[in-house]
Amino acid sequence: MSSRFSGSLDLEFLSDWQCSTGRGRHAGVDSTVVRDSDGLPVVPAKTLLGLWRDACERIAYGRDGGSTVGPWNILVHQLFGRPGGMGEESDPADASGCLTVRPARLPQAWRAELLRADDGEAELLKDGLVVTRFGVAIDDVTGVAADDTLRLVERARAGLVLSAEFQADLRPGVSSADACSLLQAGTLVWHHIGSSRRRGAGRVHIDFKSDCGGAVAVETGLRGTRTSDLNGRDVIADPLPGGAAMTRRMTLDVETLLPLICPAGVQGNVISGLDYLPGTTLLPLVASGLGTAAASLIRHGHLSIGNATVLLEGGYEEAAARAPLSIVSKNKGTGWRTDSAAVIDVGAGGSGDPGAKAIRGWTCVRGSIVSVAELSLVTTAHASIDDVSQRPLDDGLFTVEAIPAGTKLRSEIWATDAVDEKQWHDLAAHLNSLVSPALGRYRRGDYGLVRLTATVQAVAQADIPVQLDANGRFAVWLTSDAYLVDSFGVASPTANSLRDELAERLDCPELEVASSFVSVIRRDSWTNKKHLPRDSATCLRAGSVVVFRLNHGVTIDPTRWGDVCRRGIGGLCVEGFGRMRLLSYPITQGRPGALATVAPQKLGDATVNADTKWRELRLAIWRDALLNAAAVVATEASAQDNLISPGVKKNKSQLGNLREAARLLASDHKAVQRWCTAAKGDKGWDKETVARIRELAGPPQPSELVRVLGGGLVAPVSNDIVEEVGVDLLASVLLSEITVQVQRRGAKA
């Protein structure tokens, strides 16, 4: 049992702020702000975790009387994890911490206003959330701007309100009251977020809300259970017999609400990702729902948890599988994109041209037609921050590949009758009731949040007949990697090893390999108990196809074949290895498939007075847009001539006085009127020009300003907006800018 509490951080920014992507925009800005999938500013969870930790460390240092090894510092490590993972004498359970924080996002009501389709004001407001600021480097010797250092950076606007959800799954014996107290105290000394926070940017007010006052002890969920924890559980006394048939079926739909990292390998600072969710990752999730029986069920092979792969549109019940290597197409495997008939099933006896290669992607087969789709991983980067200087370290950016948010995947889970009907339905209920489940690497922050839907399915057909062609052949298609070993226990990823394993499982020694189209892959994974890599598994790659041949009159037992397809073949079947299907038809056509997707969850909804803040933000954006429009309109020669006639003898001194009077207009309503009275007696200024200037400084009617400024805006503006921004202010800017432009024209002439 563990104690869990959750809550939210409501952030109200009091100055411009920037959480930078580390990238610029060509011919635009040198540094851009981080945005979510809707293009709106967001504070990454990694940033929140790091700054919150720093604040809590300061609190702990004080509460421990200046010690860094006291009980409050230990609590910091339990909540946030130990820097750099584990030390030699550290508790492995503290290596990753128990606090999960999600990215801070704009309130849902704001998002609805900003994401209205085909709405000019929504586009203007969305663009107005970000402002640009100039910066330079100062030379240490001269104290002035250094050459070639001018930078233009994006910053999110002051006044934005965002909210981030958090959850803590505390270890037994850790006080939820102490943990909540420490976290709340940390927010009280946490005043800035993002880049340049020591130079005034990112000033923020943080409102901490939590349910820890009435924390409830609940059954351990996903992050409280690791595969290694099973070794410490009490298991049922009598071992379960192995070898029973798989009769219970459940589908587990996984919808990614944030990008999901499933590491394929790590090379330096780059984590390459898988485009599916391995059964190994889902195993702790299922084990937590089976309770004390899980260890024996897993050890004796009564469970098989398949990989979660993408779903394709088109009514396919089964999840997509890796494209069969026996299906080739011209133009290096891409010819089917332009010619659906340019697909050759070499496993069925077809012959391809020399340039034909196996097609790539996720596929579903219906009859003789294969639908193909590819899942593109998203790439993100982050830097490591030095605790002392609060600057990025020199070890470069860390780059990760992840399954994008909004992807829909499906896994098939099979079990024998050793799991009774009640346990099976309780498992489905447990999976559906998990609160904010998260999977994969870095799941405590910006990644891994998923929505789970478990559905108990009826087994439509216990026996699966094997149809042989005229030559007594059938094709086996591996839909997941298969870990095969020889008689000495050494990995043997070959077609012959697959034949030996199948012949034994099917009790069919007459089985022969007719042809094979296979590839090999190395699978690496991790053991949480020892915090060390597991032994690498060299496997037959998913998508491999082996065509087998039987002598005349020999058949395959459909019951045995059905069990092989459900349970898998080879080792590690519990984790989804060794799944297979039959390729019953020669594939003759290929067509593009569409991935099934879901809308990513809109996380976070600030509980401050969002209506008031929204009105303030909307007005601030319109104010900037109207002032920019006034500056744009003032550059047009027609606007200048409509106000100051071309025939006027423009005295530089008088124009300068008019400009200064216009700039005072918002605070001194009669400044321009006094200038107009003085200009009446000057023969160089005609009466019409003086009257137009007097009328513009009147103050003018909002409708007149709407007419004049409308051409410089991307969205229509109402009289009410102009009045709220201030007609005096707009008239002041418009008049002063026109005067400046007229002065410049006179100087050029």
Side-chain angles (χ1 to χ4, degrees):
M1 303 288 285
S2 68
S3 180
R4 171 187 294 166
F5 65 88
S6 59
S8 65
L9 298 178
D10 293 341
L11 315 177
E12 181 182 354
F13 281 94
L14 308 178
S15 65
D16 298 342
W17 55 280
Q18 184 200 47
C19 293
S20 175
T21 62
R23 297 186 293 269
R25 190 165 55 242
H26 182 65
V29 295
D30 296 291
S31 178
T32 57
V33 299
V34 176
R35 292 174 168 84
D36 61 17
S37 57
D38 293 322
L40 304 177
V42 63
V43 180
K46 186 176 289 291
T47 300
L48 294 175
L49 267 172
L51 293 174
W52 203 354
R53 180 195 182 99
D54 286 344
C56 289
E57 284 178 340
R58 295 202 300 273
I59 296 295
Y61 185 79
R63 289 184 175 181
D64 285 334
S67 171
T68 58
V69 294
W72 288 101
N73 273 277
I74 293 174
L75 182 56
V76 170
H77 294 156
Q78 291 171 337
L79 287 169
F80 294 94
R82 291 188 177 273
M86 281 184 55
E88 293 182 0
E89 300 179 357
S90 301
D91 187 343
D94 295 340
S96 59
C98 64
L99 180 66
T100 299
V101 181
R102 296 303 169 197
R105 299 172 183 261
L106 294 174
Q108 190 60 41
W110 292 26
R111 304 174 75 88
E113 290 291 323
L114 293 165
L115 299 176
R116 295 195 307 266
D118 302 322
D119 189 310
E121 184 187 17
E123 285 298 319
L124 182 143
L125 294 176
K126 183 177 177 181
D127 293 341
L129 296 178
V130 175
V131 296
T132 52
R133 297 286 185 259
F134 291 94
V136 295
I138 302 300
D139 189 284
D140 292 336
V141 177
T142 64
V144 300
D147 293 337
D148 300 323
T149 61
L150 179 65
R151 302 178 74 246
L152 183 62
V153 299
E154 282 187 346
R155 284 188 183 173
R157 179 183 292 273
L160 291 184
V161 175
L162 301 92
S163 182
E165 298 172 351
F166 69 85
Q167 177 177 301
D169 293 302
L170 302 177
R171 297 171 57 194
V174 178
S175 167
S176 60
D178 288 346
C180 191
S181 167
L182 177 63
L183 292 174
Q184 185 171 16
T187 63
L188 298 178
V189 298
W190 178 10
H191 304 299
H192 293 80
I193 290 176
S195 304
S196 302
R197 58 182 178 272
R198 293 185 174 180
R199 285 166 280 176
R203 193 157 57 91
V204 66
H205 171 74
I206 301 176
D207 190 10
F208 176 92
K209 291 182 172 63
S210 172
D211 61 4
C212 62
V216 180
V218 297
E219 182 66 24
T220 302
L222 169 63
R223 285 174 298 280
T225 303
R226 302 181 177 92
T227 309
S228 59
D229 292 337
L230 299 175
N231 295 325
R233 290 170 174 251
D234 293 330
V235 298
I236 56 180
D238 298 325
L240 295 170
M246 294 284 183
T247 56
R248 305 199 186 281
R249 176 174 174 254
M250 180 188 301
T251 57
L252 180 62
D253 288 345
V254 181
E255 300 173 359
T256 60
L257 307 180
L258 290 174
L260 174 61
I261 302 173
C262 298
V266 180
Q267 294 182 335
N269 286 8
V270 178
I271 300 177
S272 56
L274 298 172
D275 55 356
Y276 65 92
L277 184 60
T280 308
T281 304
L282 296 172
L283 180 60
L285 199 72
V286 176
S288 67
L290 292 171
T292 56
S296 288
L297 290 171
I298 293 170
R299 185 179 300 116
H300 295 286
H302 291 279
L303 279 175
S304 179
I305 304 165
N307 300 332
T309 59
V310 295
L311 288 171
L312 299 191
E313 300 285 0
Y316 296 102
E317 180 184 357
E318 289 184 319
R322 194 73 70 189
L325 295 179
S326 60
I327 310 301
V328 302
S329 185
K330 59 185 181 181
N331 295 336
K332 298 183 178 180
T334 62
W336 63 271
R337 299 180 187 275
T338 54
D339 180 5
S340 62
V343 170
I344 303 166
D345 190 346
V346 293
S351 58
D353 60 58
K357 300 289 184 182
I359 61 176
R360 296 181 298 274
W362 292 102
T363 59
C364 286
V365 176
R366 182 175 288 166
S368 61
I369 301 174
V370 59
S371 296
V372 188
E374 292 192 45
L375 177 63
S376 298
L377 300 180
V378 296
T379 303
T380 60
H382 68 273
S384 293
I385 305 299
D386 182 76
D387 287 339
V388 178
S389 66
Q390 293 290 293
R391 302 286 295 172
L393 294 171
D394 295 331
D395 52 3
L397 287 175
F398 290 81
T399 304
V400 298
E401 292 181 336
I403 298 172
T407 304
K408 193 169 185 179
L409 307 104
R410 175 170 293 172
S411 168
E412 271 195 353
I413 304 173
W414 288 88
T416 68
D417 286 336
V419 182
D420 62 37
E421 191 75 16
K422 182 179 184 303
Q423 281 180 305
W424 197 236
H425 284 85
D426 287 348
L427 172 60
H430 168 80
L431 295 173
N432 290 327
S433 65
L434 286 173
V435 178
S436 302
L439 300 168
R441 186 77 67 90
Y442 300 150
R443 58 181 177 270
R444 292 171 52 230
D446 302 294
Y447 304 95
L449 187 65
V450 298
R451 182 189 298 122
L452 301 176
T453 305
T455 308
V456 175
Q457 305 284 354
V459 180
Q461 187 178 8
D463 299 341
I464 302 177
V466 178
Q467 300 292 337
L468 307 180
D469 66 11
N471 297 317
R473 300 183 306 177
F474 67 98
V476 173
W477 172 24
L478 289 178
T479 56
S480 67
D481 301 332
Y483 181 55
L484 304 169
V485 297
D486 60 18
S487 57
F488 299 100
V490 178
S492 180
T494 64
N496 287 328
S497 293
L498 180 62
R499 178 262 169 207
D500 294 341
E501 186 80 16
L502 272 178
E504 181 179 351
R505 292 281 299 278
L506 300 174
D507 192 19
C508 183
E510 298 87 351
L511 202 60
E512 298 179 358
V513 176
S515 58
S516 62
F517 311 88
V518 299
S519 180
V520 177
I521 187 173
R522 191 182 78 178
R523 289 282 300 274
D524 296 311
S525 56
W526 190 262
T527 168
N528 286 327
K529 180 170 179 141
K530 297 181 180 178
H531 287 267
L532 292 171
R534 295 168 69 184
D535 292 338
S536 295
T538 306
C539 307
L540 277 180
R541 185 192 293 268
S544 295
V545 174
V546 180
V547 180
F548 294 101
R549 180 173 54 242
L550 289 172
N551 295 328
H552 180 69
V554 179
T555 59
I556 299 293
D557 184 344
T559 302
R560 288 177 178 269
W561 175 254
D563 186 64
V564 168
C565 291
R566 299 184 189 106
R567 189 187 300 272
I569 197 163
L572 305 176
C573 291
V574 172
E575 302 174 32
F577 285 72
R579 294 284 181 93
M580 59 181 61
R581 300 177 191 171
L582 284 174
L583 272 179
S584 303
Y585 300 89
I587 308 300
T588 59
Q589 293 186 54
R591 66 182 181 191
L595 295 174
T597 58
V598 294
Q601 186 183 33
K602 310 306 182 188
L603 301 173
D605 200 357
T607 54
V608 297
N609 189 345
D611 291 339
T612 300
K613 296 298 179 183
W614 170 252
R615 288 194 295 270
E616 294 174 356
L617 175 68
R618 180 171 177 261
L619 183 60
I621 294 174
W622 267 115
R623 178 181 180 276
D624 288 352
L626 287 168
L627 294 178
N628 288 337
V632 171
V633 169
T635 62
E636 299 173 358
S638 58
Q640 300 165 20
D641 294 341
N642 287 337
L643 181 66
I644 301 176
S645 301
V648 170
K649 296 179 180 179
K650 306 173 186 68
N651 182 284
K652 289 183 178 180
S653 177
Q654 289 178 325
L655 285 173
N657 291 335
L658 175 59
R659 182 190 67 230
E660 293 306 314
R663 290 176 175 173
L664 295 173
L665 185 58
S667 57
D668 184 356
H669 294 284
K670 297 182 179 180
V672 176
Q673 302 296 339
R674 292 194 294 270
W675 182 92
C676 291
T677 301
K680 267 188 174 182
D682 192 325
K683 296 181 179 179
W685 290 84
D686 59 80
K687 295 180 180 180
E688 292 78 7
T689 296
V690 174
R692 287 195 295 269
I693 294 173
R694 188 187 296 274
E695 182 180 359
L696 179 59
Q701 293 297 317
S703 57
E704 178 63 16
L705 283 173
V706 168
R707 183 188 67 79
V708 174
L709 299 178
L713 296 169
V714 297
V717 59
S718 65
N719 292 348
D720 294 339
I721 290 290
V722 171
E723 288 185 0
E724 285 191 77
V725 171
V727 291
D728 287 335
L729 175 63
L730 294 174
S732 171
V733 172
L734 183 60
L735 182 55
S736 62
E737 288 292 334
I738 288 178
T739 305
V740 169
Q741 295 299 328
V742 170
Q743 283 182 304
R744 291 175 178 172
R745 284 177 63 186
K748 292 180 180 179

